[in-house]
Amino acid sequence: MLPLLSEELLQNAIAVLGRDGISDDEINVEIAALAQDQMLARRLIDWLPEVFGIVLISHMGDIGLPNTFSAQDKHGNWFQLEFKLEPIIQIATKVATEMYHAGPRNIFSNIALRSALLGVVGRVLNESGSLDGGYLSGPALIGIPAEIYLSPAKPV
């Protein structure tokens, strides 16, 4: 069962992640204090940059965007899971899209630049100059176990 996520908590986590010059250690401490749940903090820290990155990538060319992610269970089995299983994604996509269009752009950029997916896209653009016709696979989570998303399912 996932802990409850409020829009206020999400907005506060965005403010932390979007702050200029903040270190990873400061992010971990501040978001853990806000979330009052270590796994919820980890999910906010990991997912918000990926969502902001996906929103930015969606405006960069004709590229297929992911709708699944991978997570590993305690036995080492990997599971392909749908984005709809992570409540942060749906709420954060709306906020990130609004922020992309209306700002503040510096907060949006600070968060999106933490995205591993955006890093991959940047490397592809540097090598080929285009994203057109490509497809982006979803992130593989490290540090967030599959068990928090699973009902009885089979590993992939």
PDB file of all heavy atoms in Angstrom, residues 92-110:
ATOM      1  N   ALA A  92       2.230  14.885 -10.942  1.00  0.00           N
ATOM      2  CA  ALA A  92       3.414  15.659 -11.328  1.00  0.00           C
ATOM      3  C   ALA A  92       3.398  16.017 -12.812  1.00  0.00           C
ATOM      4  O   ALA A  92       3.910  17.072 -13.186  1.00  0.00           O
ATOM      5  CB  ALA A  92       4.681  14.893 -10.980  1.00  0.00           C
ATOM      6  N   THR A  93       2.823  15.194 -13.656  1.00  0.00           N
ATOM      7  CA  THR A  93       2.754  15.502 -15.083  1.00  0.00           C
ATOM      8  C   THR A  93       1.937  16.768 -15.312  1.00  0.00           C
ATOM      9  O   THR A  93       2.333  17.641 -16.094  1.00  0.00           O
ATOM     10  CB  THR A  93       2.170  14.320 -15.881  1.00  0.00           C
ATOM     11  OG1 THR A  93       3.027  13.190 -15.710  1.00  0.00           O
ATOM     12  CG2 THR A  93       2.043  14.646 -17.359  1.00  0.00           C
ATOM     13  N   LYS A  94       0.829  16.885 -14.613  1.00  0.00           N
ATOM     14  CA  LYS A  94      -0.005  18.085 -14.730  1.00  0.00           C
ATOM     15  C   LYS A  94       0.775  19.323 -14.270  1.00  0.00           C
ATOM     16  O   LYS A  94       0.817  20.335 -14.968  1.00  0.00           O
ATOM     17  CB  LYS A  94      -1.268  17.902 -13.895  1.00  0.00           C
ATOM     18  CG  LYS A  94      -2.214  19.068 -13.939  1.00  0.00           C
ATOM     19  CD  LYS A  94      -3.452  18.769 -13.088  1.00  0.00           C
ATOM     20  CE  LYS A  94      -4.440  19.903 -13.102  1.00  0.00           C
ATOM     21  NZ  LYS A  94      -4.201  20.919 -12.115  1.00  0.00           N
ATOM     22  N   VAL A  95       1.415  19.236 -13.117  1.00  0.00           N
ATOM     23  CA  VAL A  95       2.175  20.370 -12.579  1.00  0.00           C
ATOM     24  C   VAL A  95       3.346  20.717 -13.499  1.00  0.00           C
ATOM     25  O   VAL A  95       3.585  21.896 -13.795  1.00  0.00           O
ATOM     26  CB  VAL A  95       2.671  20.056 -11.147  1.00  0.00           C
ATOM     27  CG1 VAL A  95       3.616  21.132 -10.638  1.00  0.00           C
ATOM     28  CG2 VAL A  95       1.493  19.876 -10.192  1.00  0.00           C
ATOM     29  N   ALA A  96       4.074  19.708 -13.953  1.00  0.00           N
ATOM     30  CA  ALA A  96       5.236  19.944 -14.810  1.00  0.00           C
ATOM     31  C   ALA A  96       4.822  20.566 -16.144  1.00  0.00           C
ATOM     32  O   ALA A  96       5.506  21.462 -16.649  1.00  0.00           O
ATOM     33  CB  ALA A  96       6.000  18.645 -15.049  1.00  0.00           C
ATOM     34  N   THR A  97       3.727  20.112 -16.712  1.00  0.00           N
ATOM     35  CA  THR A  97       3.248  20.661 -17.975  1.00  0.00           C
ATOM     36  C   THR A  97       2.869  22.131 -17.813  1.00  0.00           C
ATOM     37  O   THR A  97       3.227  22.976 -18.639  1.00  0.00           O
ATOM     38  CB  THR A  97       2.059  19.842 -18.513  1.00  0.00           C
ATOM     39  OG1 THR A  97       2.487  18.481 -18.681  1.00  0.00           O
ATOM     40  CG2 THR A  97       1.548  20.388 -19.837  1.00  0.00           C
ATOM     41  N   GLU A  98       2.150  22.435 -16.737  1.00  0.00           N
ATOM     42  CA  GLU A  98       1.788  23.827 -16.463  1.00  0.00           C
ATOM     43  C   GLU A  98       3.043  24.677 -16.263  1.00  0.00           C
ATOM     44  O   GLU A  98       3.138  25.793 -16.779  1.00  0.00           O
ATOM     45  CB  GLU A  98       0.886  23.913 -15.236  1.00  0.00           C
ATOM     46  CG  GLU A  98      -0.503  23.354 -15.472  1.00  0.00           C
ATOM     47  CD  GLU A  98      -1.332  23.200 -14.204  1.00  0.00           C
ATOM     48  OE1 GLU A  98      -0.848  23.562 -13.101  1.00  0.00           O
ATOM     49  OE2 GLU A  98      -2.469  22.712 -14.319  1.00  0.00           O
ATOM     50  N   MET A  99       4.019  24.148 -15.518  1.00  0.00           N
ATOM     51  CA  MET A  99       5.245  24.891 -15.251  1.00  0.00           C
ATOM     52  C   MET A  99       6.075  25.058 -16.528  1.00  0.00           C
ATOM     53  O   MET A  99       6.702  26.095 -16.722  1.00  0.00           O
ATOM     54  CB  MET A  99       6.062  24.192 -14.167  1.00  0.00           C
ATOM     55  CG  MET A  99       7.172  25.048 -13.596  1.00  0.00           C
ATOM     56  SD  MET A  99       8.080  24.236 -12.264  1.00  0.00           S
ATOM     57  CE  MET A  99       6.879  24.307 -10.945  1.00  0.00           C
ATOM     58  N   TYR A 100       6.072  24.078 -17.398  1.00  0.00           N
ATOM     59  CA  TYR A 100       6.801  24.191 -18.665  1.00  0.00           C
ATOM     60  C   TYR A 100       6.279  25.388 -19.464  1.00  0.00           C
ATOM     61  O   TYR A 100       7.055  26.144 -20.049  1.00  0.00           O
ATOM     62  CB  TYR A 100       6.662  22.910 -19.489  1.00  0.00           C
ATOM     63  CG  TYR A 100       7.288  23.027 -20.861  1.00  0.00           C
ATOM     64  CD1 TYR A 100       8.647  22.797 -21.039  1.00  0.00           C
ATOM     65  CD2 TYR A 100       6.531  23.409 -21.968  1.00  0.00           C
ATOM     66  CE1 TYR A 100       9.238  22.930 -22.302  1.00  0.00           C
ATOM     67  CE2 TYR A 100       7.112  23.543 -23.226  1.00  0.00           C
ATOM     68  CZ  TYR A 100       8.466  23.300 -23.379  1.00  0.00           C
ATOM     69  OH  TYR A 100       9.043  23.443 -24.626  1.00  0.00           O
ATOM     70  N   HIS A 101       4.954  25.534 -19.494  1.00  0.00           N
ATOM     71  CA  HIS A 101       4.347  26.593 -20.298  1.00  0.00           C
ATOM     72  C   HIS A 101       4.316  27.951 -19.593  1.00  0.00           C
ATOM     73  O   HIS A 101       4.482  28.980 -20.252  1.00  0.00           O
ATOM     74  CB  HIS A 101       2.928  26.192 -20.721  1.00  0.00           C
ATOM     75  CG  HIS A 101       2.928  25.050 -21.682  1.00  0.00           C
ATOM     76  ND1 HIS A 101       3.328  25.175 -22.996  1.00  0.00           N
ATOM     77  CD2 HIS A 101       2.601  23.746 -21.522  1.00  0.00           C
ATOM     78  CE1 HIS A 101       3.243  24.008 -23.603  1.00  0.00           C
ATOM     79  NE2 HIS A 101       2.798  23.126 -22.738  1.00  0.00           N
ATOM     80  N   ALA A 102       4.102  27.965 -18.277  1.00  0.00           N
ATOM     81  CA  ALA A 102       3.890  29.230 -17.570  1.00  0.00           C
ATOM     82  C   ALA A 102       5.036  29.629 -16.642  1.00  0.00           C
ATOM     83  O   ALA A 102       5.074  30.743 -16.169  1.00  0.00           O
ATOM     84  CB  ALA A 102       2.587  29.152 -16.770  1.00  0.00           C
ATOM     85  N   GLY A 103       5.941  28.701 -16.361  1.00  0.00           N
ATOM     86  CA  GLY A 103       7.049  28.993 -15.457  1.00  0.00           C
ATOM     87  C   GLY A 103       6.677  28.709 -14.017  1.00  0.00           C
ATOM     88  O   GLY A 103       5.570  28.255 -13.739  1.00  0.00           O
ATOM     89  N   PRO A 104       7.587  28.898 -13.145  1.00  0.00           N
ATOM     90  CA  PRO A 104       8.914  29.467 -13.355  1.00  0.00           C
ATOM     91  C   PRO A 104       9.854  28.468 -14.051  1.00  0.00           C
ATOM     92  O   PRO A 104       9.995  27.333 -13.623  1.00  0.00           O
ATOM     93  CB  PRO A 104       9.413  29.815 -11.951  1.00  0.00           C
ATOM     94  CG  PRO A 104       8.617  28.963 -11.029  1.00  0.00           C
ATOM     95  CD  PRO A 104       7.322  28.648 -11.716  1.00  0.00           C
ATOM     96  N   ARG A 105      10.470  28.937 -15.131  1.00  0.00           N
ATOM     97  CA  ARG A 105      11.320  28.089 -15.965  1.00  0.00           C
ATOM     98  C   ARG A 105      12.563  27.597 -15.238  1.00  0.00           C
ATOM     99  O   ARG A 105      13.018  26.503 -15.491  1.00  0.00           O
ATOM    100  CB  ARG A 105      11.754  28.825 -17.236  1.00  0.00           C
ATOM    101  CG  ARG A 105      10.699  28.910 -18.289  1.00  0.00           C
ATOM    102  CD  ARG A 105      10.337  27.530 -18.831  1.00  0.00           C
ATOM    103  NE  ARG A 105       9.646  27.699 -20.080  1.00  0.00           N
ATOM    104  CZ  ARG A 105       9.915  27.010 -21.169  1.00  0.00           C
ATOM    105  NH1 ARG A 105      10.822  26.090 -21.178  1.00  0.00           N
ATOM    106  NH2 ARG A 105       9.243  27.242 -22.257  1.00  0.00           N
ATOM    107  N   ASN A 106      13.149  28.406 -14.355  1.00  0.00           N
ATOM    108  CA  ASN A 106      14.366  27.962 -13.674  1.00  0.00           C
ATOM    109  C   ASN A 106      14.082  26.771 -12.762  1.00  0.00           C
ATOM    110  O   ASN A 106      14.887  25.843 -12.683  1.00  0.00           O
ATOM    111  CB  ASN A 106      15.037  29.111 -12.905  1.00  0.00           C
ATOM    112  CG  ASN A 106      14.195  29.599 -11.736  1.00  0.00           C
ATOM    113  OD1 ASN A 106      12.981  29.765 -11.852  1.00  0.00           O
ATOM    114  ND2 ASN A 106      14.840  29.840 -10.625  1.00  0.00           N
ATOM    115  N   ILE A 107      12.951  26.770 -12.092  1.00  0.00           N
ATOM    116  CA  ILE A 107      12.598  25.629 -11.236  1.00  0.00           C
ATOM    117  C   ILE A 107      12.344  24.411 -12.112  1.00  0.00           C
ATOM    118  O   ILE A 107      12.840  23.316 -11.823  1.00  0.00           O
ATOM    119  CB  ILE A 107      11.390  25.954 -10.336  1.00  0.00           C
ATOM    120  CG1 ILE A 107      11.797  27.018  -9.313  1.00  0.00           C
ATOM    121  CG2 ILE A 107      10.862  24.700  -9.655  1.00  0.00           C
ATOM    122  CD1 ILE A 107      10.650  27.538  -8.468  1.00  0.00           C
ATOM    123  N   PHE A 108      11.583  24.594 -13.191  1.00  0.00           N
ATOM    124  CA  PHE A 108      11.331  23.494 -14.117  1.00  0.00           C
ATOM    125  C   PHE A 108      12.655  22.908 -14.610  1.00  0.00           C
ATOM    126  O   PHE A 108      12.864  21.691 -14.571  1.00  0.00           O
ATOM    127  CB  PHE A 108      10.479  23.965 -15.309  1.00  0.00           C
ATOM    128  CG  PHE A 108      10.215  22.858 -16.286  1.00  0.00           C
ATOM    129  CD1 PHE A 108       9.095  22.066 -16.161  1.00  0.00           C
ATOM    130  CD2 PHE A 108      11.104  22.581 -17.318  1.00  0.00           C
ATOM    131  CE1 PHE A 108       8.863  21.010 -17.046  1.00  0.00           C
ATOM    132  CE2 PHE A 108      10.890  21.542 -18.206  1.00  0.00           C
ATOM    133  CZ  PHE A 108       9.764  20.754 -18.066  1.00  0.00           C
ATOM    134  N   SER A 109      13.552  23.758 -15.072  1.00  0.00           N
ATOM    135  CA  SER A 109      14.838  23.304 -15.618  1.00  0.00           C
ATOM    136  C   SER A 109      15.687  22.593 -14.569  1.00  0.00           C
ATOM    137  O   SER A 109      16.286  21.554 -14.858  1.00  0.00           O
ATOM    138  CB  SER A 109      15.629  24.486 -16.179  1.00  0.00           C
ATOM    139  OG  SER A 109      14.957  25.043 -17.259  1.00  0.00           O
ATOM    140  N   ASN A 110      15.756  23.154 -13.366  1.00  0.00           N
ATOM    141  CA  ASN A 110      16.551  22.530 -12.299  1.00  0.00           C
ATOM    142  C   ASN A 110      16.088  21.106 -12.027  1.00  0.00           C
ATOM    143  O   ASN A 110      16.906  20.214 -11.785  1.00  0.00           O
ATOM    144  CB  ASN A 110      16.492  23.356 -11.018  1.00  0.00           C
ATOM    145  CG  ASN A 110      17.285  24.640 -11.102  1.00  0.00           C
ATOM    146  OD1 ASN A 110      18.109  24.824 -11.998  1.00  0.00           O
ATOM    147  ND2 ASN A 110      17.016  25.548 -10.169  1.00  0.00           N
TER     148      ASN A 110
END
